[in-house]
Amino acid sequence: MQPDVFTYTSIVNGLCEIGNTNVVVKLLKKMKDRGVKPDLVTCSAIIDSLCKDRLITDAFNLFSEMKNKGILCNAPTQIFCLIQGVCNLGQWKEATRLWNEMVAMNIIPTVVTFNILVDALCKEGLVSDAQGVVDTMIQRGEQPNIITYNTLMDEYCLRSEMDEANKVFALMISKGILPDVISYNILINGYCKCRRVDEAKELFKEMSTSGQPVNMVTYSTMLDGLCNQGNLEEALELFQAIKDNELVSNIVCYNIIIDCMCKSDRIEDARDMFSNLHAIPTVFTYTIMINGMCKERLLNEAYGMFKKTEDHGCLPNSCSYNTIIKGLRNKDTSKAMQLLDEMVNRGFSVDASTVEMILN
């Protein structure tokens, strides 16, 4: 009894599910050698698996071969897989070519395919082209979903084009799609990065009145925006509100507040908050404190904290080494050089500014 195409396809699907693409390719060759013609299901599974393993050339070769043999005469699933594959590799021109081929074949893309292409174009900074894809979606009767709109808004915010981001936000609402917490977080972050904190605060309030749950990303984004503008007191009020609402503050929130305290010459307050953390400190938390102490010329204390970092299970990184070396450069050059050697031996990179300071 010889295995037929259904037998092979079952094995192919199983191997693809566990990511064993190399064996799948060998099995495909064995099928051909035994005169068993792979069908659409077989080819779809293999092309998808090849794309997920970033073997795009192999996927294209198989796609072309099957297409020439008439197996993939109208294959939207395979083209979707290929678009996803080339997008993952940042090959947006190839993705656009496949898109045009799909349109020429009168294949109606799903919203998932639209979103894949919109995301790829946005990551390449081609927001106008991404907007064009969205317009095509609407013209073809395919309604963008919240992921489409969030992707566009995020790219506009990264470019500091807040007016355009707001237009997308308004369009989304006009289409009957309610913004989610991610939508608000994207806009709030965009406003904060542009130092338009008042508008960020308005959105933050709007979230509360619209019943949209505020998460820790929202809080940390607002804290960062307030602290970057030097509004420490307002940031502390918000931080207290987090605790009053019985939300568990993550270490990111603590880092933001402690860093702002250090930059505002409130090292005692920073030290007090550090000593009463309700979250596990990271190497970044220690580095913030070390930098604050160096700024206040508390170099012995800063060096002591640097040495404690590793004792507390936080291995120092390149940033923490550069910070303490810069702090010690004027008072204790020999210790700074010792740390420099230790840093290099651990495989960390030395900042150009650190080298210049040591040489001086």
Side-chain angles (χ1 to χ4, degrees), residues 292-325:
M293 290 169 179
C294 288
K295 184 172 176 283
E296 295 295 323
R297 305 285 184 182
L298 302 170
L299 300 182
N300 289 333
E301 192 175 348
Y303 182 72
M305 178 160 286
F306 176 81
K307 300 307 288 183
K308 286 179 184 176
T309 303
E310 197 161 352
D311 296 338
H312 292 170
C314 286
L315 293 175
N317 60 12
S318 178
C319 183
S320 49
Y321 269 108
N322 278 291
T323 300
I324 189 63
I325 290 169

Side-chain angles (χ1 to χ4, degrees), residues 192-329:
C192 287
K193 296 297 182 190
C194 294
R195 296 187 174 275
R196 292 164 64 175
V197 178
D198 287 341
E199 286 157 290
K201 286 192 287 187
E202 286 302 315
L203 272 176
F204 183 78
K205 291 175 185 174
E206 184 182 313
M207 285 184 75
S208 303
T209 55
S210 65
Q212 187 63 244
V214 179
N215 61 19
M216 287 311 301
V217 174
T218 323
Y219 279 117
S220 59
T221 302
M222 277 305 307
L223 287 172
D224 191 51
L226 291 167
C227 287
N228 283 337
Q229 280 210 327
N231 297 339
L232 178 57
E233 293 304 324
E234 200 169 346
L236 286 170
E237 288 177 15
L238 180 58
F239 188 75
Q240 187 59 48
I242 297 172
K243 293 194 286 187
D244 291 345
N245 290 332
E246 297 183 351
L247 293 170
V248 179
S249 303
N250 59 26
I251 194 60
V252 175
C253 295
Y254 281 104
N255 287 346
I256 292 167
I257 295 292
I258 291 171
D259 187 47
C260 190
M261 286 174 169
C262 290
K263 289 175 179 175
S264 303
D265 299 323
R266 290 172 59 171
I267 190 66
E268 292 300 327
D269 291 334
R271 188 188 283 117
D272 182 60
M273 179 168 281
F274 181 83
S275 300
N276 295 285
L277 284 174
H278 293 288
I280 299 172
T282 63
V283 65
F284 189 54
T285 319
Y286 282 101
T287 304
I288 290 169
M289 284 301 301
I290 291 165
N291 188 53
M293 290 169 179
C294 288
K295 184 172 176 283
E296 295 295 323
R297 305 285 184 182
L298 302 170
L299 300 182
N300 289 333
E301 192 175 348
Y303 182 72
M305 178 160 286
F306 176 81
K307 300 307 288 183
K308 286 179 184 176
T309 303
E310 197 161 352
D311 296 338
H312 292 170
C314 286
L315 293 175
N317 60 12
S318 178
C319 183
S320 49
Y321 269 108
N322 278 291
T323 300
I324 189 63
I325 290 169
K326 287 176 184 177
L328 293 171
R329 70 187 187 278

Side-chain angles (χ1 to χ4, degrees), residues 51-95:
C51 288
K52 285 176 179 174
D53 277 3
R54 294 174 174 256
L55 301 170
I56 299 300
T57 302
D58 294 333
F60 268 107
N61 290 340
L62 178 59
F63 178 77
S64 299
E65 180 188 340
M66 296 301 109
K67 191 176 175 184
N68 292 336
K69 289 181 178 180
I71 298 173
L72 304 179
C73 56
N74 187 11
T77 305
Q78 292 72 38
I79 297 179
F80 298 161
C81 291
L82 290 170
I83 289 176
Q84 174 79 75
V86 294
C87 286
N88 288 340
L89 294 176
Q91 298 175 3
W92 61 269
K93 287 184 180 178
E94 189 61 38

